[in-house]
Structure formats: structure tokens, C-alpha cells
Amino acid sequence: MSTDPWLERWLALITERAGTDPVLELGCGTGPDSAVLVGAGLRVVGIELSSESVAAARARVPHGAEFHCGDFRDAPFPLPAGDAEGSVGVVLASLSLHYFAWDETLALARRIHGVLRPGGVLLCRLNSVNDIQHGASGPPPEGKDSFYLVDGVPKRFFHRAAVERLFADGWRMLHLEELTVHRYEQPKVLWEAVLERN
């Protein structure tokens, strides 16, 4: 049983907005969210940087999902043949958009906006500045907007205002909530956001 069953409350919305098209999952990891989506009767196209994680995702979700190994900052997204920009109903990005410089993060938000059809939704989760168990400690480095090196890995930690700023252009915020989840050994504090393309 999942200790982080966050997608369950959004499955009706995801199913409605996805229609017959696959959900595009950015940073699918080993596929726990992909498995939930496929279990709900949806199809998934997942992108993950780690080849080991992609292999694990393929083993976990052998049917109903297509996994690609690569950097989702690279264009274009691996959409199914025949699908074009502006044709996706749902993009999922759980704990995967906070590893980049601010300009790269903004560019990703714009690319996600571009791949969604009008009325399509992005479900995303981002590190909170209150996530002290996972690296949010002390004032942010000068000019870095809560961007830290955590065990050698760059991570951004968001205030509510930063989440709102990231999605200020072309989005309607359907939901934004700071939550504590039990996904890892230590509790994790994050922002959960659901955004609709205007």
C-alpha cells in the first residue's frame, strides 16, 4: 500500500481531461504514479533521466505505459505518433521540476503549457521552503531564490509566491496547497498544485 496516495483524489479530473490521450509524466522515476494511472484505466508516456529507474518502471508497469530515458528539458516531448503540440490533456510532474535554474524552470512551464490543449491540466508537486528534512535550511544563497546544493544536487525550494510566479502567465490555478507527505523515511513538505491551461 502506498504511503503517498496523492493521485487518488485527482483521478476523476485526470480521467476527464485526458480523454483517450495518454498522460505525459515528466520525471516518472520507478513508476509508482504511472502504476496508479494505468490501474485507473489511463495510458501513460513517462520520461525519466535514470536508465535504472526506467527499467524499474517498465518492470512495474509492463502494459499501458511507454517509458523514455532522457532529459525532459530536451525538445520535443516524446508524444505518440500523430500527436502534436497542444494536444495533451494532462501532464504530471511530481517532485521533478525543482532541480533547475529559474530560467530553465520557467522555460519548462512554458513548454508544458504549449503541449497542453486549452483546458488541459498540469498536476505538479514542488519542494517547499519548509521542507527542512530534505535540504531547506538557512537563508537562500545570494540571488538564488531558495536554490541550494543538497548532497551535491541542486534543488529549488518554493514559497507560495514563487509557485504563483512560476505559473503566472497563461494558467488558471485550480488548487494550491502546502502538504506534509510520508513518501520517504523523513516527512516531506511540498506544494501540490493543479493548473489549467487558459
Side-chain angles (χ1 to χ4, degrees), residues 47-130:
I47 310 168
E48 170 59 41
L49 188 59
S50 162
S51 58
E52 293 84 3
S53 292
V54 168
R58 287 176 177 151
R60 177 180 274 180
V61 192
H63 306 290
E66 174 185 314
F67 297 105
H68 299 265
C69 187
D71 189 332
F72 57 69
R73 290 173 293 176
D74 296 339
F77 292 129
L79 299 174
D83 282 357
E85 292 288 302
S87 67
V88 173
V90 179
V91 175
L92 181 70
S94 177
L95 302 174
S96 62
L97 298 181
H98 48 229
Y99 295 103
F100 316 114
W102 182 252
D103 60 337
E104 288 182 294
T105 310
L106 280 174
L108 271 169
R110 285 192 294 269
R111 285 188 60 218
I112 293 167
H113 186 274
V115 81
L116 284 168
R117 57 179 170 256
V121 293
L122 165 65
L123 291 88
C124 90
R125 301 199 299 174
L126 300 159
N127 292 327
S128 165
V129 291
N130 295 313

